[in-house]
Amino acid sequence: MLDAFGVLGLGRPDGQLYAALVAAPQSTAEELADQCGLTLQQCRAALDRLAEQGMVTRGPVDRERYLAVAPDVAIGTLIGHREAQLRGARAEMHRLMDAFREASRFTDPAHSVEVLTGGEAIAQRLEHLVGTAQYQVRGFDCPPYIQDPVAALPRQRQRLKAGLKFRAIYDKEAVAWPGRLEKDILPGVADGEECKVRPVLPMKMMMADDRMAIIPISVGDAVLDAAYVVHPSALLQGLDALFEAEWERAVPLQAAIGTGSEGSGPEEDHRKLLGLLAAGLTDESIARSLGWSARTTQRRLQTLMRQLGATTRFQAGMAARERGWL
């Protein structure tokens, strides 16, 4: 236990004294000094330090006696401080590695791409990517997923609200993922994310500015617990161009944006239906995405096509564009 205290930055006399007080509450400084083999002066100094860290308190009746604060609170606080220090150190490590690779990339191309392994390492690097982006984050979003995609990165939500630009392209299966549209994509749009949809995307990717991209490694329909990290290079420039080309071809998710006033455009349900149709989703995928039954989806699609005077989906799309609904 004393070794654990050392890891948390608590010196041996202090950790020893706290452990003794946990076992013998309401002890006096004299009793603790005898038990721990300390002088009275050493014991009182250690008790003062422990009190400053919120680990011990004086007795409510006899102020000469001491009580240990519950270990889950006292030690939990130490762990929280150390975790914050480690996160700061890890962020500084990533910053220095970015600078190292930038300085090395002209003499050693191997530094342009690295391979991350392990879900925790990938999650930390994604957080670093979002947290250090200066003006925009761009991404391709498509299955398969290692974790439930409905919950977005907390840091992403914070930075969206702080004004960082996010542009994301979702493939039709990502939009159709149960609960994804209502619980993740729409809240992201409300916070300021720009999103579009493509029937199929070439890969999953997240890119910060023009300096870093993370690409999960997948084989067929399975995502491995590994990812490529691409740093400034010709490859990163190619990924930049690929994203912009896909962005130009992608369909704005008008269903998520929900523009238009009453009487001048389609009803909200029809607007959602139009956006998903334009993105290339099938009837089954639309039903899953919006939480409709197959019968409801068919009925609303037929109603929309009658409203547009169309007999095919293509005609419906053209008529919607002519009316400014897409």
Side-chain angles (χ1 to χ4, degrees):
M1 184 63 184
L2 295 179
D3 290 340
F5 281 136
V7 169
L8 297 175
L10 199 65
R12 181 175 180 81
D14 298 8
Q16 181 185 17
L17 197 63
Y18 175 78
L21 195 54
V22 167
Q26 297 284 0
S27 295
T28 65
E30 290 81 359
E31 292 168 343
L32 290 167
D34 290 340
Q35 184 177 347
C36 297
L38 303 172
T39 67
L40 183 59
Q41 183 178 5
Q42 289 174 328
C43 184
R44 290 190 185 280
L47 286 169
D48 287 342
R49 289 192 295 271
L50 289 170
E52 288 177 1
Q53 295 185 69
M55 298 184 69
V56 303
T57 61
R58 289 181 179 271
V61 178
D62 186 348
R63 305 295 290 174
E64 293 302 316
R65 297 187 177 275
Y66 293 84
L67 292 168
V69 173
D72 62 340
V73 176
I75 299 176
T77 300
L78 292 179
I79 292 173
H81 290 328
R82 182 49 55 95
E83 287 176 340
Q85 291 172 345
L86 290 173
R87 284 194 297 271
R90 187 176 292 109
E92 179 64 11
M93 176 192 71
H94 289 319
R95 188 192 68 79
L96 290 173
M97 281 303 300
D98 289 344
F100 175 76
R101 291 189 182 91
E102 178 65 21
S104 303
R105 66 191 178 96
F106 296 108
T107 57
D108 187 356
H111 290 296
S112 297
V113 179
E114 61 177 309
V115 177
L116 291 178
T117 57
E120 183 178 355
I122 295 171
Q124 290 170 355
R125 189 60 67 89
L126 285 170
E127 183 176 353
H128 170 71
L129 181 149
V130 174
T132 57
Q134 297 179 5
Y135 58 91
Q136 75 168 335
V137 172
R138 294 170 289 174
F140 293 146
D141 190 305
C142 58
Y145 300 109
I146 295 177
Q147 298 177 332
D148 185 356
V150 173
L153 291 167
R155 190 68 175 271
Q156 177 172 325
R157 289 280 183 260
Q158 296 171 5
R159 299 224 62 197
L160 260 173
K161 294 177 180 178
L164 183 67
K165 186 174 183 179
F166 280 78
R167 289 194 290 155
I169 305 175
Y170 299 89
D171 87 347
K172 62 182 181 180
E173 294 303 321
V175 176
W177 194 272
R180 187 80 191 277
L181 182 64
E182 298 293 335
K183 295 180 181 179
D184 182 23
I185 299 177
L186 288 174
V189 171
D191 287 338
E193 178 182 310
E194 298 177 36
C195 68
K196 291 187 175 184
V197 181
R198 287 277 287 152
V200 178
L201 288 172
M203 67 184 76
K204 194 195 313 286
M205 177 182 71
M206 184 173 284
M207 181 184 299
D209 306 325
D210 55 358
R211 62 177 184 79
M212 183 191 298
I214 298 178
I215 305 171
I217 300 174
S218 60
V219 178
D221 293 333
V223 176
L224 303 182
D225 206 9
Y228 297 115
V229 182
V230 183
H231 298 280
S233 59
L235 176 57
L236 187 63
Q237 293 172 1
L239 293 173
D240 180 296
L242 175 63
F243 178 88
E244 295 302 331
E246 291 290 332
W247 183 262
E248 288 299 318
R249 289 192 288 266
V251 176
L253 189 60
Q254 297 293 340
I257 299 172
T259 57
S261 57
E262 289 293 329
S264 62
E267 297 176 357
E268 181 180 355
D269 285 345
H270 284 173
R271 186 176 297 281
K272 291 181 178 181
L273 184 57
L274 272 172
L276 298 177
L277 281 173
L281 270 69
T282 63
D283 292 0
E284 182 181 356
S285 296
I286 291 171
R288 290 203 312 269
S289 177
L290 299 178
W292 296 348
S293 67
R295 180 175 297 180
T296 298
T297 302
Q298 284 291 331
R299 186 179 69 250
R300 292 182 177 176
L301 177 58
Q302 291 169 5
T303 300
L304 176 62
M305 292 178 71
R306 284 197 302 270
Q307 184 178 354
L308 291 169
T311 57
T312 66
R313 292 187 179 210
F314 178 77
Q315 290 175 350
M318 293 299 294
R321 289 184 184 276
E322 290 174 359
R323 298 188 186 194
W325 292 1
L326 284 175

